[in-house]
mmCIF file of all heavy atoms in Angstrom:
data_model
loop_
_atom_site.group_PDB
_atom_site.id
_atom_site.type_symbol
_atom_site.label_atom_id
_atom_site.label_comp_id
_atom_site.label_asym_id
_atom_site.label_seq_id
_atom_site.Cartn_x
_atom_site.Cartn_y
_atom_site.Cartn_z
ATOM 1 N N ASP A 41 127.270 78.305 89.965
ATOM 2 C CA ASP A 41 127.987 78.453 91.229
ATOM 3 C C ASP A 41 127.503 79.649 92.037
ATOM 4 O O ASP A 41 127.850 79.782 93.210
ATOM 5 C CB ASP A 41 129.487 78.603 90.974
ATOM 6 C CG ASP A 41 130.096 77.329 90.393
ATOM 7 O OD1 ASP A 41 129.514 76.241 90.616
ATOM 8 O OD2 ASP A 41 131.143 77.412 89.727
ATOM 9 N N ARG A 42 126.696 80.528 91.418
ATOM 10 C CA ARG A 42 126.241 81.737 92.101
ATOM 11 C C ARG A 42 125.245 81.386 93.202
ATOM 12 O O ARG A 42 124.382 80.537 93.031
ATOM 13 C CB ARG A 42 125.574 82.685 91.095
ATOM 14 C CG ARG A 42 125.070 83.988 91.694
ATOM 15 C CD ARG A 42 124.429 84.841 90.613
ATOM 16 N NE ARG A 42 123.250 84.193 90.050
ATOM 17 C CZ ARG A 42 122.027 84.291 90.562
ATOM 18 N NH1 ARG A 42 121.824 84.998 91.653
ATOM 19 N NH2 ARG A 42 121.003 83.677 89.986
ATOM 20 N N VAL A 43 125.381 82.051 94.333
ATOM 21 C CA VAL A 43 124.435 81.837 95.426
ATOM 22 C C VAL A 43 123.095 82.462 95.035
ATOM 23 O O VAL A 43 123.035 83.654 94.725
ATOM 24 C CB VAL A 43 124.957 82.474 96.728
ATOM 25 C CG1 VAL A 43 123.927 82.316 97.845
ATOM 26 C CG2 VAL A 43 126.281 81.843 97.129
ATOM 27 N N PRO A 44 122.005 81.690 95.032
ATOM 28 C CA PRO A 44 120.710 82.240 94.617
ATOM 29 C C PRO A 44 120.199 83.257 95.632
ATOM 30 O O PRO A 44 120.527 83.195 96.815
ATOM 31 C CB PRO A 44 119.797 81.004 94.547
ATOM 32 C CG PRO A 44 120.444 80.006 95.446
ATOM 33 C CD PRO A 44 121.921 80.261 95.358
ATOM 34 N N SER A 45 119.388 84.192 95.152
ATOM 35 C CA SER A 45 118.804 85.203 96.020
ATOM 36 C C SER A 45 117.688 84.578 96.865
ATOM 37 O O SER A 45 117.242 83.453 96.611
ATOM 38 C CB SER A 45 118.233 86.348 95.197
ATOM 39 O OG SER A 45 117.105 85.916 94.453
ATOM 40 N N ILE A 46 117.219 85.320 97.862
ATOM 41 C CA ILE A 46 116.133 84.831 98.715
ATOM 42 C C ILE A 46 114.885 84.571 97.873
ATOM 43 O O ILE A 46 114.203 83.548 98.030
ATOM 44 C CB ILE A 46 115.847 85.853 99.829
ATOM 45 C CG1 ILE A 46 117.046 85.947 100.772
ATOM 46 C CG2 ILE A 46 114.590 85.473 100.600
ATOM 47 C CD1 ILE A 46 116.910 87.013 101.825
ATOM 48 N N THR A 47 114.584 85.502 96.969
ATOM 49 C CA THR A 47 113.404 85.346 96.122
ATOM 50 C C THR A 47 113.522 84.110 95.241
ATOM 51 O O THR A 47 112.546 83.356 95.064
ATOM 52 C CB THR A 47 113.200 86.590 95.254
ATOM 53 O OG1 THR A 47 113.028 87.738 96.093
ATOM 54 C CG2 THR A 47 111.963 86.451 94.377
ATOM 55 N N GLU A 48 114.707 83.862 94.681
ATOM 56 C CA GLU A 48 114.912 82.681 93.839
ATOM 57 C C GLU A 48 114.761 81.392 94.642
ATOM 58 O O GLU A 48 114.193 80.408 94.156
ATOM 59 C CB GLU A 48 116.295 82.742 93.187
ATOM 60 C CG GLU A 48 116.408 83.814 92.114
ATOM 61 C CD GLU A 48 117.833 84.015 91.621
ATOM 62 O OE1 GLU A 48 118.779 83.682 92.380
ATOM 63 O OE2 GLU A 48 118.012 84.512 90.506
ATOM 64 N N GLU A 49 115.256 81.404 95.878
ATOM 65 C CA GLU A 49 115.109 80.223 96.724
ATOM 66 C C GLU A 49 113.634 79.949 97.007
ATOM 67 O O GLU A 49 113.174 78.803 96.968
ATOM 68 C CB GLU A 49 115.870 80.423 98.041
ATOM 69 C CG GLU A 49 117.381 80.355 97.907
ATOM 70 C CD GLU A 49 117.882 78.930 97.736
ATOM 71 O OE1 GLU A 49 117.059 77.988 97.713
ATOM 72 O OE2 GLU A 49 119.106 78.751 97.618
ATOM 73 N N ILE A 50 112.867 81.016 97.294
ATOM 74 C CA ILE A 50 111.438 80.840 97.564
ATOM 75 C C ILE A 50 110.712 80.367 96.310
ATOM 76 O O ILE A 50 109.819 79.512 96.379
ATOM 77 C CB ILE A 50 110.839 82.156 98.093
ATOM 78 C CG1 ILE A 50 111.403 82.462 99.487
ATOM 79 C CG2 ILE A 50 109.318 82.084 98.145
ATOM 80 C CD1 ILE A 50 110.973 83.798 100.050
ATOM 81 N N ASP A 51 111.091 80.911 95.155
ATOM 82 C CA ASP A 51 110.436 80.527 93.898
ATOM 83 C C ASP A 51 110.658 79.058 93.557
ATOM 84 O O ASP A 51 109.872 78.468 92.803
ATOM 85 C CB ASP A 51 110.937 81.408 92.749
ATOM 86 C CG ASP A 51 110.410 82.831 92.832
ATOM 87 O OD1 ASP A 51 109.428 83.053 93.566
ATOM 88 O OD2 ASP A 51 110.984 83.723 92.178
ATOM 89 N N LYS A 52 111.705 78.461 94.105
ATOM 90 C CA LYS A 52 111.979 77.046 93.832
ATOM 91 C C LYS A 52 111.062 76.117 94.613
ATOM 92 O O LYS A 52 110.952 74.930 94.277
ATOM 93 C CB LYS A 52 113.436 76.714 94.179
ATOM 94 C CG LYS A 52 114.474 77.335 93.255
ATOM 95 C CD LYS A 52 115.868 76.955 93.719
ATOM 96 C CE LYS A 52 116.946 77.591 92.855
ATOM 97 N NZ LYS A 52 118.312 77.250 93.351
ATOM 98 N N ILE A 53 110.421 76.638 95.654
ATOM 99 C CA ILE A 53 109.574 75.780 96.489
ATOM 100 C C ILE A 53 108.351 75.359 95.676
ATOM 101 O O ILE A 53 107.610 76.207 95.175
ATOM 102 C CB ILE A 53 109.133 76.521 97.763
ATOM 103 C CG1 ILE A 53 110.358 76.919 98.594
ATOM 104 C CG2 ILE A 53 108.185 75.659 98.601
ATOM 105 C CD1 ILE A 53 110.023 77.774 99.793
ATOM 106 N N PRO A 54 108.107 74.061 95.526
ATOM 107 C CA PRO A 54 106.954 73.623 94.731
ATOM 108 C C PRO A 54 105.653 73.880 95.459
ATOM 109 O O PRO A 54 105.597 73.895 96.691
ATOM 110 C CB PRO A 54 107.201 72.121 94.556
ATOM 111 C CG PRO A 54 108.024 71.740 95.747
ATOM 112 C CD PRO A 54 108.889 72.929 96.054
ATOM 113 N N GLY A 55 104.610 74.114 94.704
ATOM 114 C CA GLY A 55 103.290 74.310 95.288
ATOM 115 C C GLY A 55 102.559 75.472 94.638
ATOM 116 O O GLY A 55 103.136 76.277 93.910
ATOM 117 N N ARG A 56 101.291 75.534 94.920
ATOM 118 C CA ARG A 56 100.434 76.583 94.377
ATOM 119 C C ARG A 56 100.494 77.817 95.257
ATOM 120 O O ARG A 56 100.436 77.719 96.481
ATOM 121 C CB ARG A 56 99.002 76.063 94.285
ATOM 122 C CG ARG A 56 97.998 77.050 93.709
ATOM 123 C CD ARG A 56 96.616 76.447 93.724
ATOM 124 N NE ARG A 56 95.620 77.371 93.210
ATOM 125 C CZ ARG A 56 94.316 77.165 93.257
ATOM 126 N NH1 ARG A 56 93.857 76.041 93.802
ATOM 127 N NH2 ARG A 56 93.477 78.050 92.782
ATOM 128 N N ARG A 57 100.603 79.002 94.638
ATOM 129 C CA ARG A 57 100.651 80.261 95.374
ATOM 130 C C ARG A 57 99.241 80.804 95.544
ATOM 131 O O ARG A 57 98.506 80.939 94.557
ATOM 132 C CB ARG A 57 101.505 81.284 94.643
ATOM 133 C CG ARG A 57 102.999 81.275 94.989
ATOM 134 C CD ARG A 57 103.679 79.981 94.670
ATOM 135 N NE ARG A 57 105.125 80.064 94.903
ATOM 136 C CZ ARG A 57 105.941 79.030 94.912
ATOM 137 N NH1 ARG A 57 105.471 77.808 94.695
ATOM 138 N NH2 ARG A 57 107.235 79.189 95.140
ATOM 139 N N ILE A 58 98.868 81.116 96.792
ATOM 140 C CA ILE A 58 97.545 81.648 97.098
ATOM 141 C C ILE A 58 97.713 82.889 97.967
ATOM 142 O O ILE A 58 98.370 82.821 99.018
ATOM 143 C CB ILE A 58 96.680 80.610 97.846
ATOM 144 C CG1 ILE A 58 96.517 79.333 97.016
ATOM 145 C CG2 ILE A 58 95.317 81.180 98.195
ATOM 146 C CD1 ILE A 58 95.804 78.221 97.742
ATOM 147 N N PHE A 59 97.135 84.014 97.549
ATOM 148 C CA PHE A 59 97.256 85.219 98.380
ATOM 149 C C PHE A 59 96.581 84.982 99.712
ATOM 150 O O PHE A 59 95.551 84.311 99.816
ATOM 151 C CB PHE A 59 96.653 86.440 97.664
ATOM 152 C CG PHE A 59 95.150 86.522 97.728
ATOM 153 C CD1 PHE A 59 94.515 87.205 98.752
ATOM 154 C CD2 PHE A 59 94.373 85.916 96.752
ATOM 155 C CE1 PHE A 59 93.141 87.284 98.808
ATOM 156 C CE2 PHE A 59 92.991 85.994 96.802
ATOM 157 C CZ PHE A 59 92.370 86.681 97.829
ATOM 158 N N TYR A 60 97.167 85.533 100.767
ATOM 159 C CA TYR A 60 96.683 85.204 102.102
ATOM 160 C C TYR A 60 97.235 86.218 103.095
ATOM 161 O O TYR A 60 98.333 86.755 102.905
ATOM 162 C CB TYR A 60 97.160 83.791 102.485
ATOM 163 C CG TYR A 60 96.513 83.215 103.721
ATOM 164 C CD1 TYR A 60 95.217 82.716 103.695
ATOM 165 C CD2 TYR A 60 97.210 83.156 104.923
ATOM 166 C CE1 TYR A 60 94.623 82.165 104.827
ATOM 167 C CE2 TYR A 60 96.633 82.612 106.059
ATOM 168 C CZ TYR A 60 95.339 82.116 106.011
ATOM 169 O OH TYR A 60 94.761 81.582 107.127
ATOM 170 N N ASN A 61 96.471 86.487 104.144
ATOM 171 C CA ASN A 61 96.935 87.286 105.272
ATOM 172 C C ASN A 61 96.881 86.432 106.533
ATOM 173 O O ASN A 61 95.859 85.789 106.804
ATOM 174 C CB ASN A 61 96.058 88.531 105.487
ATOM 175 C CG ASN A 61 96.178 89.523 104.355
ATOM 176 O OD1 ASN A 61 97.229 89.673 103.753
ATOM 177 N ND2 ASN A 61 95.096 90.211 104.060
ATOM 178 N N LEU A 62 97.968 86.429 107.295
ATOM 179 C CA LEU A 62 97.905 85.856 108.633
ATOM 180 C C LEU A 62 97.308 86.920 109.549
ATOM 181 O O LEU A 62 97.813 88.042 109.628
ATOM 182 C CB LEU A 62 99.304 85.468 109.127
ATOM 183 C CG LEU A 62 99.902 84.166 108.577
ATOM 184 C CD1 LEU A 62 101.304 83.959 109.123
ATOM 185 C CD2 LEU A 62 99.030 82.972 108.922
ATOM 186 N N ASN A 63 96.222 86.586 110.238
ATOM 187 C CA ASN A 63 95.491 87.561 111.033
ATOM 188 C C ASN A 63 95.450 87.152 112.496
ATOM 189 O O ASN A 63 95.401 85.956 112.819
ATOM 190 C CB ASN A 63 94.053 87.701 110.517
ATOM 191 C CG ASN A 63 94.000 88.152 109.070
ATOM 192 O OD1 ASN A 63 94.474 89.225 108.738
ATOM 193 N ND2 ASN A 63 93.431 87.327 108.210
ATOM 194 N N GLY A 64 95.449 88.155 113.375
ATOM 195 C CA GLY A 64 95.323 87.885 114.794
ATOM 196 C C GLY A 64 94.831 89.113 115.532
ATOM 197 O O GLY A 64 94.973 90.246 115.048
ATOM 198 N N THR A 65 94.232 88.902 116.699
ATOM 199 C CA THR A 65 93.720 90.002 117.509
ATOM 200 C C THR A 65 94.084 89.779 118.970
ATOM 201 O O THR A 65 94.375 88.648 119.397
ATOM 202 C CB THR A 65 92.189 90.127 117.401
ATOM 203 O OG1 THR A 65 91.584 88.922 117.875
ATOM 204 C CG2 THR A 65 91.752 90.388 115.965
ATOM 205 N N ILE A 66 94.044 90.872 119.724
ATOM 206 C CA ILE A 66 94.232 90.800 121.167
ATOM 207 C C ILE A 66 93.532 92.003 121.783
ATOM 208 O O ILE A 66 93.460 93.076 121.158
ATOM 209 C CB ILE A 66 95.725 90.765 121.552
ATOM 210 C CG1 ILE A 66 95.892 90.299 122.990
ATOM 211 C CG2 ILE A 66 96.385 92.120 121.336
ATOM 212 C CD1 ILE A 66 97.317 89.910 123.334
ATOM 213 N N THR A 67 92.994 91.850 122.975
ATOM 214 C CA THR A 67 92.321 92.958 123.646
ATOM 215 C C THR A 67 93.283 93.651 124.605
ATOM 216 O O THR A 67 94.260 93.051 125.087
ATOM 217 C CB THR A 67 91.088 92.464 124.424
ATOM 218 O OG1 THR A 67 91.479 91.490 125.387
ATOM 219 C CG2 THR A 67 90.065 91.860 123.459
ATOM 220 N N PHE A 68 93.000 94.907 124.891
ATOM 221 C CA PHE A 68 93.816 95.702 125.810
ATOM 222 C C PHE A 68 92.908 96.710 126.499
ATOM 223 O O PHE A 68 91.784 96.985 126.043
ATOM 224 C CB PHE A 68 94.947 96.414 125.067
ATOM 225 C CG PHE A 68 94.476 97.400 124.038
ATOM 226 C CD1 PHE A 68 94.282 98.745 124.359
ATOM 227 C CD2 PHE A 68 94.192 96.991 122.741
ATOM 228 C CE1 PHE A 68 93.826 99.651 123.415
ATOM 229 C CE2 PHE A 68 93.729 97.903 121.793
ATOM 230 C CZ PHE A 68 93.554 99.231 122.131
ATOM 231 N N ASP A 69 93.385 97.271 127.591
ATOM 232 C CA ASP A 69 92.648 98.327 128.274
ATOM 233 C C ASP A 69 93.629 99.360 128.812
ATOM 234 O O ASP A 69 94.841 99.275 128.540
ATOM 235 C CB ASP A 69 91.739 97.764 129.375
ATOM 236 C CG ASP A 69 92.510 96.963 130.417
ATOM 237 O OD1 ASP A 69 93.677 97.327 130.712
ATOM 238 O OD2 ASP A 69 91.964 95.974 130.934
ATOM 239 N N ILE A 70 93.143 100.299 129.572
ATOM 240 C CA ILE A 70 93.972 101.418 130.009
ATOM 241 C C ILE A 70 95.116 100.978 130.906
ATOM 242 O O ILE A 70 96.139 101.653 131.006
ATOM 243 C CB ILE A 70 93.090 102.476 130.738
ATOM 244 C CG1 ILE A 70 93.822 103.818 130.805
ATOM 245 C CG2 ILE A 70 92.662 101.971 132.092
ATOM 246 C CD1 ILE A 70 94.042 104.463 129.460
ATOM 247 N N SER A 71 94.991 99.792 131.534
ATOM 248 C CA SER A 71 96.081 99.302 132.381
ATOM 249 C C SER A 71 97.320 98.928 131.572
ATOM 250 O O SER A 71 98.413 98.778 132.130
ATOM 251 C CB SER A 71 95.611 98.091 133.199
ATOM 252 O OG SER A 71 95.339 96.986 132.348
#
Side-chain angles (χ1 to χ4, degrees):
D41 294 336
R42 180 180 64 86
V43 177
S45 68
I46 294 175
T47 300
E48 289 171 336
E49 287 285 0
I50 292 175
D51 288 343
K52 291 179 182 178
I53 299 174
R56 181 182 179 188
R57 271 61 175 169
I58 301 174
F59 79 91
Y60 191 76
N61 293 327
L62 282 178
N63 300 299
T65 61
I66 196 166
T67 59
F68 62 92
D69 58 34
I70 198 66
S71 67

